[in-house]
Coordinates of all heavy atoms in Angstrom, one line a residue:
M1085 N 112.7 97.9 111.5 CA 111.7 97.8 110.4 C 110.4 96.9 110.9 O 110.8 96.0 111.7 CB 112.3 97.2 109.2 CG 111.3 97.2 108.0 SD 112.0 96.1 106.6 CE 113.6 95.7 107.1
L1086 N 109.3 97.3 110.5 CA 108.1 96.5 110.9 C 108.1 95.1 110.4 O 108.4 94.8 109.2 CB 106.9 97.2 110.4 CG 105.5 96.6 110.7 CD1 105.1 97.0 112.3 CD2 104.5 97.1 109.9
Q1087 N 108.0 94.1 111.3 CA 107.9 92.7 110.9 C 106.4 92.4 110.4 O 105.5 92.7 111.1 CB 108.1 91.8 112.1 CG 109.5 91.5 112.4 CD 109.7 90.5 113.5 OE1 108.6 90.0 114.0 NE2 110.9 90.2 113.9
I1088 N 106.3 91.9 109.2 CA 105.0 91.6 108.6 C 104.8 90.1 109.0 O 105.4 89.1 108.3 CB 105.0 91.7 107.2 CG1 105.4 93.1 106.6 CG2 103.5 91.4 106.5 CD1 104.4 94.2 106.9
R1089 N 104.1 89.8 110.0 CA 103.8 88.4 110.4 C 102.5 88.0 109.8 O 101.4 88.7 109.8 CB 103.6 88.3 111.9 CG 104.9 88.7 112.7 CD 104.8 88.7 114.1 NE 106.0 89.3 114.7 CZ 106.2 89.5 116.1 NH1 105.2 89.2 116.9 NH2 107.2 90.0 116.5
T1090 N 102.5 86.8 109.1 CA 101.3 86.5 108.2 C 100.2 85.6 108.8 O 99.3 85.1 108.0 CB 101.9 85.9 107.0 OG1 102.6 84.7 107.3 CG2 102.7 86.8 106.2
T1091 N 100.3 85.5 110.1 CA 99.1 84.7 110.7 C 98.8 85.2 112.1 O 99.6 85.9 112.7 CB 99.4 83.2 111.0 OG1 100.6 83.1 111.6 CG2 99.5 82.4 109.7
C1092 N 97.5 85.0 112.5 CA 97.0 85.6 113.8 C 97.6 84.6 114.8 O 97.6 83.4 114.7 CB 95.5 85.5 113.8 SG 94.8 85.8 115.5
E1093 N 98.3 85.3 115.8 CA 98.9 84.5 117.0 C 97.8 83.5 117.7 O 98.2 82.5 118.2 CB 99.5 85.4 118.1 CG 100.9 85.9 117.7 CD 101.4 86.6 118.8 OE1 101.2 86.3 120.1 OE2 102.3 87.5 118.6
H1094 N 96.6 84.0 117.7 CA 95.6 83.2 118.5 C 95.0 82.2 117.6 O 95.1 81.0 117.9 CB 94.6 84.1 119.0 CG 93.5 83.3 119.8 ND1 93.6 82.7 121.0 CD2 92.2 83.0 119.4 CE1 92.6 82.0 121.3 NE2 91.8 82.2 120.4
C1095 N 94.4 82.6 116.5 CA 93.5 81.5 115.7 C 94.2 81.0 114.4 O 93.7 80.3 113.7 CB 92.3 82.2 115.4 SG 92.2 83.5 114.1
E1096 N 95.4 81.6 114.2 CA 96.2 81.2 113.0 C 95.5 81.6 111.6 O 95.9 80.9 110.6 CB 96.5 79.7 113.0 CG 97.5 79.3 114.0 CD 98.0 77.9 113.8 OE1 97.3 77.0 114.0 OE2 99.2 77.8 113.5
K1097 N 94.6 82.5 111.6 CA 94.0 83.0 110.4 C 95.1 83.6 109.5 O 96.0 84.2 110.1 CB 92.9 84.1 110.8 CG 92.2 84.6 109.6 CD 91.3 85.7 110.1 CE 90.7 86.4 108.8 NZ 89.3 87.0 109.2
E1098 N 95.1 83.4 108.3 CA 96.1 84.0 107.4 C 95.8 85.5 107.3 O 94.8 86.0 107.1 CB 95.9 83.4 106.0 CG 96.2 81.9 105.9 CD 97.6 81.5 106.0 OE1 98.5 82.4 105.7 OE2 97.9 80.5 106.4
L1099 N 97.1 86.1 107.5 CA 97.1 87.7 107.4 C 98.2 88.1 106.5 O 99.3 88.5 106.9 CB 97.2 88.2 108.8 CG 96.2 88.0 109.8 CD1 96.7 88.4 111.2 CD2 94.8 88.6 109.5
P1100 N 97.9 87.9 105.2 CA 99.1 88.2 104.2 C 99.4 89.7 104.3 O 98.7 90.4 104.9 CB 98.4 87.8 102.8 CG 96.9 87.7 103.1 CD 96.8 87.4 104.5
Y1101 N 100.5 90.0 103.6 CA 101.1 91.4 103.7 C 100.0 92.4 103.5 O 100.1 93.5 103.9 CB 102.3 91.5 102.7 CG 101.9 91.8 101.3 CD1 101.8 93.1 100.8 CD2 101.5 90.7 100.5 CE1 101.3 93.2 99.4 CE2 101.1 90.8 99.2 CZ 101.0 92.1 98.7 OH 100.6 92.4 97.4
N1102 N 99.0 92.1 102.5 CA 98.1 93.1 102.1 C 96.7 93.0 102.8 O 95.8 93.6 102.5 CB 97.9 93.2 100.7 CG 97.4 91.9 100.0 OD1 97.3 90.8 100.8 ND2 97.0 91.7 98.9
S1103 N 96.7 92.1 103.9 CA 95.4 92.0 104.6 C 94.9 93.3 105.3 O 95.7 94.0 105.9 CB 95.5 90.9 105.7 OG 94.4 90.8 106.6
T1104 N 93.6 93.6 105.2 CA 93.1 94.7 106.0 C 92.6 94.2 107.3 O 92.1 95.1 108.1 CB 92.0 95.3 105.1 OG1 91.0 94.4 104.9 CG2 92.4 95.9 103.8
Q1105 N 92.7 93.0 107.5 CA 92.2 92.4 108.9 C 93.3 92.3 109.9 O 93.1 92.0 111.1 CB 91.7 91.0 108.6 CG 90.5 90.8 107.6 CD 89.3 91.6 108.1 OE1 88.8 91.2 109.1 NE2 88.9 92.5 107.3
A1106 N 94.5 92.6 109.5 CA 95.7 92.4 110.5 C 95.7 93.6 111.6 O 95.6 94.8 111.1 CB 97.0 92.4 109.7
R1107 N 95.9 93.2 112.8 CA 96.1 94.2 113.8 C 97.5 94.0 114.5 O 97.7 92.9 114.7 CB 94.9 94.2 114.8 CG 93.5 94.4 114.2 CD 93.4 95.9 113.7 NE 92.1 96.1 113.2 CZ 91.9 96.1 111.9 NH1 92.7 95.7 111.1 NH2 90.7 96.3 111.4
I1108 N 98.2 95.1 114.9 CA 99.4 95.0 115.5 C 99.5 95.8 116.8 O 98.9 96.9 116.8 CB 100.7 95.3 114.7 CG1 100.5 96.7 114.0 CG2 100.8 94.2 113.5 CD1 101.8 97.1 113.3
C1109 N 100.3 95.4 117.8 CA 100.5 96.3 119.0 C 101.9 97.0 118.6 O 102.5 96.8 117.6 CB 100.6 95.5 120.2 SG 102.1 94.5 120.4
S1110 N 102.4 97.7 119.6 CA 103.6 98.6 119.3 C 104.9 97.6 119.2 O 105.9 98.0 118.8 CB 103.8 99.6 120.4 OG 104.2 98.9 121.6
Y1111 N 104.7 96.4 119.7 CA 105.8 95.4 119.6 C 105.5 94.5 118.4 O 106.3 93.4 118.2 CB 106.0 94.5 120.8 CG 106.4 95.3 122.0 CD1 105.3 95.8 122.9 CD2 107.7 95.7 122.3 CE1 105.7 96.5 124.0 CE2 108.1 96.4 123.3 CZ 107.0 96.8 124.3 OH 107.4 97.5 125.4
E1112 N 104.6 94.8 117.5 CA 104.3 93.9 116.4 C 103.6 92.6 116.5 O 103.7 91.8 115.7 CB 105.5 93.8 115.6 CG 106.3 95.0 115.1 CD 107.7 95.0 114.7 OE1 108.4 93.9 115.2 OE2 108.2 95.7 114.0
C1113 N 103.1 92.4 117.9 CA 102.3 91.2 118.0 C 101.2 91.4 117.1 O 100.6 92.4 116.9 CB 101.8 91.2 119.5 SG 103.1 91.2 120.8
T1114 N 100.9 90.2 116.4 CA 99.9 90.4 115.3 C 98.8 89.4 115.6 O 98.9 88.2 115.8 CB 100.6 89.9 114.0 OG1 101.7 90.7 113.8 CG2 99.7 90.1 112.8
F1115 N 97.6 89.9 115.5 CA 96.2 89.2 115.6 C 95.3 89.7 114.5 O 95.5 90.8 113.9 CB 95.6 89.5 117.0 CG 96.5 88.9 118.1 CD1 97.5 89.6 118.7 CD2 96.2 87.7 118.6 CE1 98.4 89.1 119.7 CE2 97.0 87.1 119.6 CZ 98.0 87.9 120.2
C1116 N 94.3 88.9 114.3 CA 93.3 89.2 113.3 C 92.3 90.3 114.0 O 92.1 90.3 115.2 CB 92.6 88.1 112.7 SG 91.5 87.3 113.9
K1117 N 91.5 90.9 113.1 CA 90.6 91.9 113.7 C 89.6 91.3 114.6 O 89.2 91.8 115.6 CB 89.9 92.5 112.4 CG 88.8 93.6 112.7 CD 88.3 94.1 111.4 CE 87.3 95.2 111.5 NZ 85.9 94.7 111.8
D1118 N 89.0 90.1 114.1 CA 88.1 89.4 115.0 C 88.6 89.1 116.4 O 87.8 89.3 117.4 CB 87.6 88.1 114.3 CG 86.7 88.5 113.0 OD1 86.4 89.7 112.9 OD2 86.5 87.6 112.2
C1119 N 89.8 88.6 116.5 CA 90.3 88.3 117.9 C 90.5 89.5 118.7 O 90.2 89.5 119.8 CB 91.6 87.4 117.7 SG 91.4 85.7 117.2
V1120 N 91.0 90.5 118.0 CA 91.2 91.8 118.8 C 89.9 92.3 119.3 O 89.9 92.8 120.4 CB 91.9 92.8 117.8 CG1 91.9 94.2 118.5 CG2 93.4 92.4 117.6
E1121 N 88.8 92.3 118.5 CA 87.7 93.0 118.9 C 86.9 92.1 119.9 O 86.3 92.4 120.9 CB 86.9 93.3 117.8 CG 87.4 94.5 116.9 CD 86.6 94.8 115.7 OE1 85.7 94.2 115.3 OE2 87.1 95.8 114.9
Q1122 N 86.8 90.7 119.5 CA 85.9 89.9 120.3 C 86.5 89.1 121.4 O 85.9 88.8 122.4 CB 85.2 88.9 119.3 CG 84.2 89.5 118.5 CD 83.9 88.9 117.1 OE1 83.9 87.6 117.1 NE2 83.7 89.6 116.0
L1123 N 87.8 88.8 121.3 CA 88.4 88.0 122.3 C 89.3 88.8 123.3 O 89.3 88.8 124.4 CB 89.3 86.9 121.6 CG 90.1 86.2 122.6 CD1 89.3 85.0 123.3 CD2 91.3 85.5 121.9
L1124 N 90.1 89.8 122.6 CA 91.1 90.5 123.3 C 90.6 91.9 123.8 O 91.3 92.5 124.7 CB 92.3 90.6 122.4 CG 93.0 89.4 122.0 CD1 94.0 89.7 120.9 CD2 93.5 88.6 123.2
H1125 N 89.5 92.4 123.3 CA 89.0 93.7 123.8 C 90.1 94.8 123.7 O 90.4 95.6 124.6 CB 88.5 93.7 125.2 CG 87.4 92.6 125.4 ND1 86.1 92.7 125.0 CD2 87.5 91.3 125.9 CE1 85.4 91.7 125.4 NE2 86.2 90.8 125.8
N1126 N 90.9 94.6 122.6 CA 92.0 95.7 122.3 C 93.1 95.7 123.4 O 93.7 96.7 123.7 CB 91.4 97.1 122.1 CG 92.3 97.9 121.3 OD1 93.2 97.5 120.6 ND2 92.2 99.3 121.6
V1127 N 93.3 94.6 124.0 CA 94.4 94.4 124.9 C 95.4 93.3 124.4 O 95.0 92.2 124.2 CB 93.9 93.9 126.3 CG1 95.1 93.8 127.1 CG2 93.0 94.9 126.9
C1128 N 96.6 93.8 124.2 CA 97.6 92.6 123.7 C 97.9 91.8 124.8 O 98.3 92.3 125.9 CB 98.8 93.4 123.2 SG 100.1 92.2 122.7
P1129 N 97.7 90.4 124.6 CA 98.1 89.5 125.6 C 99.5 89.3 126.0 O 99.9 88.8 127.1 CB 97.5 88.2 125.2 CG 97.5 88.3 123.6 CD 97.4 89.8 123.4
N1130 N 100.4 89.8 125.2 CA 101.8 89.8 125.5 C 102.4 91.0 126.1 O 103.3 90.9 126.9 CB 102.6 89.6 124.2 CG 102.1 88.3 123.5 OD1 101.9 87.3 124.0 ND2 101.9 88.5 122.2
C1131 N 101.8 92.2 126.0 CA 102.3 93.3 126.4 C 101.3 94.4 127.3 O 101.7 95.2 127.9 CB 103.1 94.2 125.5 SG 102.1 95.0 124.2
G1132 N 100.0 94.0 127.0 CA 99.0 94.9 127.6 C 98.7 96.1 126.8 O 97.7 96.9 127.3
G1133 N 99.3 96.5 125.7 CA 99.1 97.6 124.9 C 97.9 97.5 124.1 O 97.2 96.3 124.0
G1134 N 97.6 98.4 123.3 CA 96.3 98.5 122.3 C 96.9 98.1 120.9 O 98.1 97.9 120.6
F1135 N 95.9 97.9 120.0 CA 96.2 97.5 118.7 C 95.8 98.6 117.7 O 94.9 99.5 117.9 CB 95.4 96.3 118.3 CG 95.9 95.0 119.0 CD1 95.3 94.6 120.1 CD2 97.0 94.3 118.4 CE1 95.8 93.4 120.8 CE2 97.4 93.2 119.1 CZ 96.8 92.7 120.2
Q1136 N 96.4 98.6 116.5 CA 96.2 99.4 115.4 C 96.2 98.5 114.1 O 96.8 97.4 114.1 CB 97.2 100.5 115.2 CG 97.1 101.6 116.3 CD 95.9 102.5 116.2 OE1 95.4 102.8 115.2 NE2 95.3 102.9 117.5
P1137 N 95.4 99.0 113.0 CA 95.5 98.3 111.8 C 97.0 98.3 111.3 O 97.7 99.3 111.5 CB 94.7 99.1 110.8 CG 93.7 99.8 111.8 CD 94.4 100.1 113.0
R1138 N 97.5 97.1 110.8 CA 98.8 97.1 110.3 C 98.9 97.8 109.0 O 98.2 97.6 108.0 CB 99.3 95.6 110.1 CG 100.7 95.5 109.7 CD 101.0 94.0 109.6 NE 100.4 93.4 108.5 CZ 100.3 92.0 108.4 NH1 100.8 91.3 109.3 NH2 99.7 91.5 107.5
P1139 N 99.9 98.7 108.8 CA 100.1 99.4 107.5 C 100.6 98.4 106.5 O 101.2 97.3 106.7 CB 101.2 100.4 107.7 CG 101.4 100.4 109.1 CD 100.9 99.2 109.8
I1140 N 100.0 98.5 105.2 CA 100.3 97.6 104.0 C 101.7 98.1 103.5 O 101.8 99.3 103.0 CB 99.2 97.6 103.1 CG1 97.9 96.9 103.9 CG2 99.5 96.7 101.8 CD1 96.7 96.8 103.0
R1141 N 102.6 97.1 103.5 CA 103.9 97.4 102.6 C 103.6 97.1 101.1 O 103.1 96.1 100.8 CB 105.0 96.4 103.2 CG 106.3 96.7 102.5 CD 107.4 95.9 103.2 NE 107.5 96.2 104.7 CZ 108.2 95.4 105.7 NH1 108.7 94.5 105.2 NH2 108.1 96.0 106.8
P1142 N 104.0 98.1 100.3 CA 103.8 97.9 98.9 C 104.5 96.6 98.4 O 105.5 96.2 98.8 CB 104.4 99.1 98.3 CG 104.5 100.1 99.4 CD 104.7 99.3 100.6
K1143 N 103.8 96.0 97.5 CA 104.2 94.7 97.0 C 105.6 94.7 96.4 O 106.5 93.8 96.8 CB 103.3 94.3 95.8 CG 103.3 92.8 95.5 CD 102.3 92.6 94.4 CE 102.2 91.1 94.0 NZ 101.2 90.8 93.0
A1144 N 106.0 95.8 95.6 CA 107.2 95.9 95.1 C 108.4 95.9 96.2 O 109.6 95.5 95.8 CB 107.4 97.2 94.3
N1145 N 108.1 96.3 97.3 CA 109.2 96.3 98.4 C 109.4 94.9 99.1 O 110.4 94.8 99.8 CB 108.8 97.3 99.5 CG 108.5 98.8 98.9 OD1 108.1 98.9 97.9 ND2 109.0 99.7 99.7
L1146 N 108.5 94.0 98.8 CA 108.6 92.7 99.5 C 109.8 91.9 99.1 O 110.4 91.0 99.7 CB 107.3 91.9 99.3 CG 106.1 92.5 100.0 CD1 104.8 91.7 99.6 CD2 106.2 92.6 101.5
L1147 N 110.3 92.2 97.9 CA 111.5 91.5 97.4 C 112.7 91.8 98.3 O 113.4 90.9 98.7 CB 111.8 91.9 95.9 CG 111.0 91.2 94.9 CD1 111.3 91.9 93.5 CD2 111.2 89.7 94.7
K1148 N 112.8 93.0 98.6 CA 113.9 93.6 99.4 C 113.6 93.3 100.9 O 114.5 93.0 101.7 CB 114.1 95.0 99.1 CG 115.5 95.4 99.2 CD 115.7 96.7 98.5 CE 116.6 97.7 99.4 NZ 116.5 99.1 98.9
H1149 N 112.4 93.5 101.3 CA 112.0 93.4 102.7 C 110.8 92.5 102.9 O 109.6 92.9 103.0 CB 111.6 94.8 103.2 CG 112.7 95.9 103.2 ND1 112.5 97.0 102.5 CD2 114.1 95.7 103.5 CE1 113.8 97.7 102.5 NE2 114.7 96.9 103.1
P1150 N 111.1 91.1 102.8 CA 110.0 90.2 102.8 C 109.3 90.1 104.1 O 109.7 90.5 105.1 CB 110.6 88.9 102.4 CG 112.2 89.1 102.8 CD 112.4 90.5 102.7
V1151 N 108.1 89.3 104.0 CA 107.3 89.1 105.3 C 108.1 88.0 106.1 O 109.1 87.4 105.6 CB 105.9 88.4 104.9 CG1 105.1 89.4 104.1 CG2 106.1 87.1 104.2
K1152 N 107.8 88.0 107.4 CA 108.5 87.1 108.3 C 108.0 85.6 108.0 O 106.8 85.4 107.9 CB 108.1 87.4 109.7 CG 109.0 86.7 110.7 CD 108.6 87.2 112.2 CE 109.0 86.2 113.3 NZ 110.5 86.3 113.4
K1153 N 109.0 84.7 107.9 CA 108.7 83.4 107.5 C 108.2 82.5 108.7 O 107.2 81.7 108.5 CB 109.9 82.6 106.9 CG 110.5 83.1 105.6 CD 109.9 82.4 104.4 CE 110.4 82.8 103.1 NZ 110.6 84.2 102.9
E1154 N 108.8 82.7 109.9 CA 108.4 81.8 110.9 C 107.0 82.3 111.4 O 106.7 83.5 111.6 CB 109.3 82.0 112.2 CG 110.8 81.7 111.8 CD 111.4 82.8 111.2 OE1 111.4 84.0 111.7 OE2 112.0 82.7 110.1
K1155 N 106.1 81.2 111.8 CA 104.8 81.7 112.2 C 104.9 81.5 113.8 O 105.6 80.8 114.4 CB 103.8 80.5 111.9 CG 103.9 80.2 110.3 CD 102.9 80.9 109.5 CE 102.8 80.5 108.1 NZ 102.7 81.6 107.2
I1156 N 104.0 82.5 114.4 CA 103.9 82.5 115.8 C 102.5 82.0 116.2 O 101.5 82.6 115.7 CB 104.2 83.9 116.5 CG1 105.6 84.2 116.1 CG2 104.0 83.8 118.0 CD1 106.0 85.7 116.6
H1157 N 102.3 80.9 117.0 CA 101.1 80.5 117.4 C 101.0 80.3 118.9 O 101.6 79.4 119.4 CB 100.7 79.1 116.7 CG 99.3 78.7 117.0 ND1 99.0 77.4 117.1 CD2 98.2 79.4 117.1 CE1 97.7 77.3 117.4 NE2 97.1 78.5 117.4
K1158 N 100.4 81.3 119.6 CA 100.3 81.3 121.0 C 98.8 81.6 121.4 O 98.5 82.7 121.7 CB 101.2 82.3 121.6 CG 102.7 82.0 121.5 CD 103.5 82.9 122.5 CE 103.5 84.4 122.0 NZ 104.4 85.2 122.8
P1159 N 97.9 80.5 121.4 CA 96.5 80.8 121.8 C 96.4 81.5 123.2 O 97.2 81.0 124.0 CB 95.9 79.4 121.7 CG 96.9 78.6 121.0 CD 98.3 79.2 121.2
V1160 N 95.5 82.3 123.3 CA 95.3 83.1 124.6 C 94.3 82.3 125.3 O 93.1 82.0 124.8 CB 94.7 84.4 124.3 CG1 94.5 85.1 125.5 CG2 95.8 85.2 123.4
I1161 N 94.6 81.8 126.5 CA 93.6 81.1 127.4 C 93.2 82.1 128.5 O 92.3 82.8 128.4 CB 94.1 79.8 127.8 CG1 94.4 78.9 126.5 CG2 93.0 79.0 128.6 CD1 95.4 77.8 126.6
H1162 N 94.0 82.0 129.6 CA 93.8 83.0 130.7 C 94.9 84.0 130.6 O 96.0 83.6 130.5 CB 93.8 82.2 132.0 CG 93.5 83.2 133.1 ND1 92.2 83.6 133.3 CD2 94.2 83.8 134.0 CE1 92.3 84.5 134.4 NE2 93.5 84.5 134.8
N1163 N 94.6 85.3 130.7 CA 95.6 86.3 130.5 C 95.4 87.4 131.5 O 94.4 88.0 131.7 CB 95.5 86.9 129.1 CG 96.6 87.7 128.8 OD1 96.6 88.9 128.9 ND2 97.7 87.2 128.3
K1164 N 96.6 87.7 132.2 CA 96.6 88.6 133.3 C 96.3 90.1 132.8 O 95.6 90.9 133.3 CB 97.9 88.7 134.1 CG 99.1 89.0 133.2 CD 100.3 89.0 134.1 CE 101.6 89.1 133.1 NZ 102.8 89.5 133.8
Y1165 N 96.9 90.4 131.6 CA 96.7 91.7 131.0 C 95.2 92.0 130.6 O 94.8 93.1 130.8 CB 97.5 91.9 129.9 CG 99.0 92.0 130.1 CD1 99.9 91.0 129.5 CD2 99.6 93.0 130.8 CE1 101.3 91.1 129.7 CE2 101.0 93.0 131.0 CZ 101.8 92.1 130.5 OH 103.1 92.2 130.8
L1166 N 94.6 90.9 130.2 CA 93.3 91.1 129.6 C 92.3 91.4 130.8 O 91.5 92.5 130.7 CB 92.8 89.8 129.0 CG 91.5 89.8 128.2 CD1 91.6 90.9 127.1 CD2 91.4 88.4 127.5
A1167 N 92.4 90.8 131.8 CA 91.6 91.0 133.0 C 91.7 92.5 133.6 O 90.8 93.1 133.9 CB 91.8 90.1 134.1
K1168 N 93.0 92.8 133.6 CA 93.4 94.1 134.2 C 93.0 95.4 133.3 O 92.7 96.4 133.7 CB 94.8 94.1 134.4 CG 95.3 95.1 135.5 CD 96.8 95.0 135.8 CE 97.6 95.9 135.0 NZ 99.0 95.7 135.3
N1169 N 93.2 95.2 132.0 CA 93.1 96.2 131.1 C 91.8 96.4 130.2 O 91.8 97.4 129.4 CB 94.3 96.3 130.2 CG 95.5 96.6 130.9 OD1 95.6 97.5 131.8 ND2 96.6 95.9 130.7
K1170 N 91.0 95.5 130.2 CA 89.9 95.4 129.1 C 89.0 96.6 129.1 O 88.4 96.9 128.1 CB 89.4 94.2 129.0 CG 88.5 93.7 130.0 CD 87.7 92.4 129.6 CE 86.6 92.0 130.6 NZ 86.0 90.8 130.1
N1171 N 88.9 97.2 130.3 CA 88.0 98.3 130.4 C 88.7 99.7 130.3 O 88.0 100.7 130.6 CB 87.1 98.2 131.6 CG 86.1 96.9 131.6 OD1 85.5 96.7 130.5 ND2 86.1 96.2 132.6
K1172 N 89.9 99.6 130.1 CA 90.7 100.8 130.1 C 91.2 101.1 128.7 O 91.6 100.2 128.1 CB 92.0 100.7 131.0 CG 91.9 101.2 132.4 CD 93.3 101.2 132.9 CE 93.2 100.9 134.4 NZ 94.6 100.7 135.0
L1173 N 91.2 102.3 128.2 CA 91.7 102.8 126.9 C 93.2 102.6 127.0 O 93.8 102.8 128.1 CB 91.3 104.2 126.6 CG 89.9 104.5 126.3 CD1 89.6 106.0 126.2 CD2 89.4 103.8 125.1
P1174 N 93.8 102.2 125.8 CA 95.2 102.0 125.8 C 96.1 103.2 126.3 O 97.1 103.1 127.0 CB 95.5 101.9 124.3 CG 94.3 101.4 123.7 CD 93.2 102.0 124.6
E1175 N 95.5 104.4 126.0 CA 96.3 105.6 126.5 C 96.2 105.8 128.0 O 97.0 106.7 128.5 CB 95.8 106.9 125.7 CG 94.4 107.2 125.9 CD 93.5 106.6 124.7 OE1 93.8 105.4 124.3 OE2 92.6 107.3 124.2
N1176 N 95.4 105.1 128.7 CA 95.3 105.2 130.1 C 95.9 104.0 130.9 O 95.7 104.0 132.1 CB 93.9 105.4 130.6 CG 93.3 106.7 130.1 OD1 93.9 107.6 129.8 ND2 92.0 106.6 129.7
R1177 N 96.6 103.0 130.1 CA 97.0 101.8 130.8 C 98.4 102.1 131.4 O 99.2 102.9 130.8 CB 97.2 100.7 129.8 CG 95.8 100.1 129.5 CD 95.8 99.0 128.5 NE 94.5 99.0 127.9 CZ 94.3 98.4 126.6 NH1 95.2 98.0 125.9 NH2 93.1 98.4 126.1
Ligands
LIG2190 ZN1 92.6 85.5 115.2
LIG2191 ZN1 102.0 93.4 122.4

């Protein structure tokens, strides 16, 4: 099941379950739209993959399947994936 992580790993911006700004990679690494576009150039710093908007889980389902409580904060400084992949489309990496 998809983990709903409620903050950006880089800047800690709040990304609640219904945020339209949340972006995830295929491993559910979660960043805000601004970081993905301006800092990461659509390259996940943890796996090198691309990002997509996170689907919104309906509110009623959160009782049974809540958001993830622990926050992940790993600011991106120098990143090997970023240098290698930022000019390549995710499907060509
Ligand atoms: Zn961010
Ligand atoms: Zn990733």
